[in-house]
Structure formats: structure tokens, C-alpha cells
Amino acid sequence: MEEKPSLSSALFAGTRFDRKRFAGDIARFRTGAQPAPAAPDVAPPAPEKKRKRKSKANAKKISKKKKKRADGAASASDVVEGFSVFKGAEAKEVVEESVEVVVREDEDSAVVRRRKEAEREIERAAILRKRYDIHISGHNVPAPLESFEELVSRYDCDSYLVGNLSKLGFQEPTPIQRQAISILLSGRECFACAPTGSGKTLAFLLPMLMKIKPGSKGGVKAVILCPTRELAAQTTRECKKLAKGRKFGVKLMTKDLSQDGNFKDMHCDILVSTPLRLDHAIRKRDLDLSRVEYLVLDESDKLFELGFVEVIDSIVKSCSNPSIIRSLFSATLPETIEALARTIMHDAVRIIVGRKNSASSMIKQKLIFAGTERGKLIALRQSFAESLNPPVLVFVQSKERAKELYRELVYDDIRVDVIHGDLTEEQRQDAVDNLRAGKSWVLIATEVLARGMDFKGVNCVINYDFPESASAYIHRIGRSGRAGRSGEAITFFTEEDKPFLRNIANVLVSSGCEVPSWMVALPKLKSRKHRVDRDRISFLTDED
Ligand SMILES: Nc1ncnc2c1ncn2[C@@H]1O[C@H](COP(=O)(O)OP(=O)(O)OP(=O)(O)O)[C@@H](O)[C@H]1O
């Protein structure tokens, strides 16, 4: 006849218990001569309903024992301990079978409850990630934010910051903000890849302002590295706006500061710089970065590009605080850079929003065959004549060509300006400000403006010269279609550019734009960079 479920069978349900071998112990136990064994944690939990009923009835009796129990799940040592108590301890109290079962089961139910809560939390995080197209890799990644209110409820954010967010018109976090902010606030490092214009700046500024304490003492607490001066200036401005109401020392590393700055006496909590200027200040002005708590590498793939790697490496080493939190942000993250980044990061979480290395879906992209250099100039004038919807950014591949195109267009009936590396810092800033203020309609630019610059209203980007790589293309066209607005990107190509068309055509395809099938069928090229010696733009002579 089948034995009724007893204490021993309940205790060891699920384990391979050798009843023959322990028959004596079971017999003694049944007589009550021995104390009840501490239950091994390997038994599967009883059905939820049953557990609930029993635990109610015996709640008082079990409370003491409950406290003694470890929180975690089953382990091998629990099992061993269970047997030793079973064999050796002396009985003082006789405990009813059912009570002991409940002790065991109720504790199990606490474990199960916690496990269920954790599972629900994981499920909630997964739903949010799916909804916002967030992909992560790393262990124990905190859930994305559901709203900015959670900054207060979950992370105790100061009300001034939440107030500033609302004054700036930020009602809902963008996907990258949802995930990167919770990761950084939980003290984890991360590298993040999210589309252009999707709010990466706020994603790294907000946790920084929440975590570091403003104050004139203690030196630099956060460093933000940007590849260009214009972007560094823009990030400084954004940081100051967000920090309004608190006495944060936010400094932009200018040329003068890097050459003559007295960093020891300066109130600087957050320093925004380009790599070379920061490196100069470290070496020549004894800038101490040993207390930096946050290091951000914005447009990280550009920063790691040839020429900057050693400088970045040296800056990273200068930020020697062992509890520093480093983060990398960009809209493009090639595998090689990711591998390089991993060497300097500790247990970093990888965040990808949308598809890695793809253009913003807000931009309508077009490729136009213009045949020759002369054809490009004609096509540009024609496009302006048909519909000039300022502000417009026109990218060319060198400063010489920027000057040349400017000379061509300055006689046309449009307000055109130009920005390139031969201008002074003030002239470059003026050109940017003039476009922002609507004083110029068309800004001719080189790569200096391709990364990170936030011109909210740019309606159209024209790649007059074909970009040298897919990532250059993604960043250039990403000057439009920002913060949820739509934008347009037109790219001219000539016969010379045809071999390089495939890379760019693939970007169009992956963001849902149509391209002729022959373009994606072009042979793959070994070289990822496309640098062409082009014919002159202008047909004017230098005397004209
Ligand atoms: N939560 C938000 N709600 C509305 N607008 C936002 C929010 N966060 C940022 N923005 C705005 O979105 C624009 C783009 O932000 P940002 O410059 O940080 O983009 P990005 O992802 O860094 O782009 P890029 O890759 O080109 O550098 C900015 O004008 C910014 O003010």
C-alpha cells in the first residue's frame, strides 16, 4: 500500500532519499524522540493555495523560525546541514508535523514570493525594452525608467533637476535616456549606441549631476571628452542649463585655459574638453584628474580614431580614481572600437537602441546621381531654386572645397555661410550661432560639424561630396531629423563615387528607404574609407 505523505516525505520531496539507509532515523523521528530536522531547501514548493491556507493558521508559531532562515535559494550546504541536525540534535520541544511542514513551506513561499517579484521586475524591464527597442548585454542590468518621475521615486533626485527638465520641455525620457540613466545611477559603466538626435547628451549629464556634489573644493569631479570644440561648447551650454539652480562649476576647456589655466584655484566640478587640450593641461598645467568620478567619452568612436588613441589612453590613466564610472556614447559603434573600449571598462553594460550603426528613422534619404563635379553644382542650384527650406547644411570633404563652394554661392540670392578649420574659434562659433538664429540659411561645412552638433531645426542635409564612410554619412545626415522631428538628406554621387555607393545604400536600406537593387549588389570593398581627389567645384578663376 502506498504510504501517506508524511513529514519525512514532504521534507525530502524531490531529493533522492535512501529510505532503507535512513529507516532507523525515520522510525525514531516518528516517535518524536528526536527533534525535527531543519529542512533542506531542495524541496519544490507546495502549490501556492495550500501554502497560503496553512501559513495563515500557523503564522505565530513559525515566525521565530522564519527569521533564522537564510534568504537565498537552495544550496548544497543547506542539504548537508539538514542531515546533521537530523542525526545529532537533542529534542526539547515536540513539534507537530503539520507545523513543521508549514514552517518549511512558508519559508519557501517567502523565497518564492521574492523570486516571483524579481521575475515580475525582469518581465517589466523586458517589456519596456521591447517597447522602446532597447537591446542590452551585461548581467543584472537595472530596469529602464518608465518616466522622469521615477528619478525621484527610485533614485531620490533633487527637485531642482526635475524642475529644470520640465522647464527645458523634456516630458518623457527618450529610449537611450531610459536605459543609460538607470545604469549609470546604479554605478555601472556602459557603452551606448543610439541614433543621432536621440538625447544621448542628457543621458550622461543627468546621472552626473545627480551623483556629484557641487563645491569649490575637491577638484574636477567629472570630465566629458568631445571630438570637436564646437561640440564641447554645446555640451557645456547644455550642462549649465540643466545644472541651473545649483552651484556647479562647469568649465569648457578653451585654448587659453589649457595653456594658462590655474586649475588648483579654480572651481571646476565638470570639465568639458577636446582630447588634445585636456592632455595639454594635464601635462603642462598640472591638471589633477585623480578625483574624477565620471568620465564620458562622447562620440567615442571618433575619439578612438587614429591619432587620438594614445591621448585618450593617457587621459583615461590620469583619471585614476578606482571607483570612477566611465561611459561611452555614440550613434555608431564599430566592432573594433567596441573591443578597444572593453579594455578600459569594468563590467560595462552595452546598450543599443534600434539597430546598431543605422541612421535615424526620422530622415528621408535620397541618393542623386550628378555625373560630374559640374553636374553637382547644377543639381545644388536647381535644388535651391525648387525648394529652399532653411536651415540647410551642405557637407563637403575639405576646407579648400568649403571655401570654393562658398565663393560660388555667395553671389547667388541666398544667405550662405561657411565653417571650416581655418577659421578662428570665434568665427566658427559665429557661423554656428548665425545658423541657429536664422541669420544664415545655408551653412557649408566640413566634418567639424558632422558630429554631435544639435541644430534642432535643420530641415535638410546635402552631402555635396560623398561621405568617406557609412558612419560619416550617418552622423552628417543626423544633423537633421532630431528630437522626434523629421528631416531630409540628399547625397550627390558621381561616377567616381559609384564603387563606394554600396556602403551608403545599405544604410538607406536598413533604415527603410528605397534604393535601386543594383546599388546593394555592387561588390564589397576592402577599404572602408572613401577619399577621392575631386575636380574643382568652381569654374570661376581665382581673379573672379
Ligand atoms: N527627453 C527629451 N525630450 C525631448 N527632447 C529631448 C529630450 N532629451 C533631449 N532632447 C533634445 O533632443 C535633441 C537632441 O539631443 P542630443 O543632442 O543629446 O542628441 P544625441 O543623441 O547626442 O545626437 P548625436 O548623436 O547627433 O550627438 C536636443 O535638442 C535635446 O534638447
Side-chain angles (χ1 to χ4, degrees), residues 102-385:
V102 173
V103 172
R104 168 78 185 100
E105 290 179 346
D106 196 68
E107 286 157 357
D108 277 351
S109 93
V111 171
V112 169
R113 222 177 17 250
R114 274 194 296 277
R115 199 179 294 154
K116 282 206 165 150
E117 267 164 34
E119 275 167 11
R120 267 198 298 275
E121 183 61 13
I122 290 169
E123 211 173 293
R124 191 181 70 89
I127 291 169
L128 283 173
R129 288 191 188 112
K130 190 153 190 245
R131 186 183 305 156
Y132 297 109
D133 208 1
I134 301 167
H135 311 269
I136 46 136
S137 41
H139 71 276
N140 280 343
V141 181
L145 296 178
E146 275 193 59
S147 65
F148 280 136
E149 282 78 57
E150 252 184 276
L151 290 173
V152 181
S153 62
R154 210 164 123 191
Y155 297 104
D156 206 17
C157 178
D158 260 355
S159 53
Y160 90 94
L161 252 181
V162 186
N164 285 349
L165 282 178
S166 112
K167 276 183 212 149
L168 290 167
F170 302 159
Q171 288 164 356
E172 284 291 313
T174 64
I176 187 61
Q177 290 165 1
R178 287 175 197 276
Q179 187 60 89
I181 290 174
S182 71
I183 287 172
L184 290 170
L185 285 178
S186 66
R188 299 281 294 278
E189 300 196 326
C190 73
F191 44 102
C193 181
T196 51
S198 65
K200 293 186 285 295
T201 316
L202 186 73
F204 60 73
L205 286 181
L206 200 71
M208 187 184 282
L209 292 173
M210 280 173 69
K211 287 286 183 178
I212 65 172
K213 300 264 172 296
S216 50
K217 292 196 186 112
V220 180
K221 299 171 189 91
V223 168
I224 303 168
L225 277 184
C226 307
T228 64
R229 295 174 220 162
E230 285 75 14
L231 183 56
Q234 178 182 287
T235 306
T236 310
R237 265 198 315 275
E238 293 304 306
C239 187
K240 283 181 178 168
K241 276 193 238 164
L242 200 62
K244 209 168 173 191
R246 282 291 179 282
K247 289 192 172 135
F248 278 106
V250 183
K251 291 268 182 292
L252 169 66
M253 181 75 86
T254 57
K255 194 173 177 189
D256 288 350
L257 195 60
S258 79
Q259 288 176 352
D260 308 312
N262 177 1
F263 292 97
K264 286 200 177 76
D265 296 333
M266 188 182 294
H267 173 200
C268 176
D269 299 306
I270 300 170
L271 184 58
V272 190
S273 181
T274 52
L276 292 176
R277 284 186 176 172
L278 186 62
D279 189 49
H280 189 273
I282 296 169
R283 286 186 292 105
K284 299 279 161 55
R285 306 299 308 161
D286 284 337
L287 170 59
D288 177 15
L289 297 182
S290 63
R291 294 201 204 138
V292 169
E293 296 161 42
Y294 273 87
L295 173 64
V296 177
L297 272 55
D298 193 14
E299 307 294 344
S300 41
D301 51 333
K302 188 76 187 170
L303 288 173
F304 277 111
E305 262 182 29
L306 222 61
F308 276 166
V309 176
E310 279 170 21
V311 178
I312 301 289
D313 190 47
S314 146
I315 293 170
V316 169
K317 282 189 181 126
S318 302
C319 297
S320 55
N321 180 352
S323 50
I324 189 168
I325 295 172
R326 287 157 295 204
S327 56
L328 274 67
F329 285 82
S330 185
T332 48
L333 196 62
E335 305 294 328
T336 46
I337 303 298
E338 202 177 313
L340 202 58
R342 277 191 189 278
T343 64
I344 65 157
M345 315 274 283
H346 172 71
D347 191 22
V349 181
R350 174 186 192 253
I351 317 165
I352 309 283
V353 174
R355 292 183 66 172
K356 199 177 163 210
N357 301 334
S358 62
S360 160
S361 58
M362 300 304 292
I363 309 164
K364 202 170 112 201
Q365 303 166 59
K366 260 192 250 166
L367 292 169
I368 292 181
F369 180 61
T372 60
E373 287 303 316
R374 189 185 275 265
K376 280 179 4 185
L377 194 55
I378 294 166
L380 184 69
R381 286 206 164 104
Q382 201 174 337
S383 139
F384 286 163

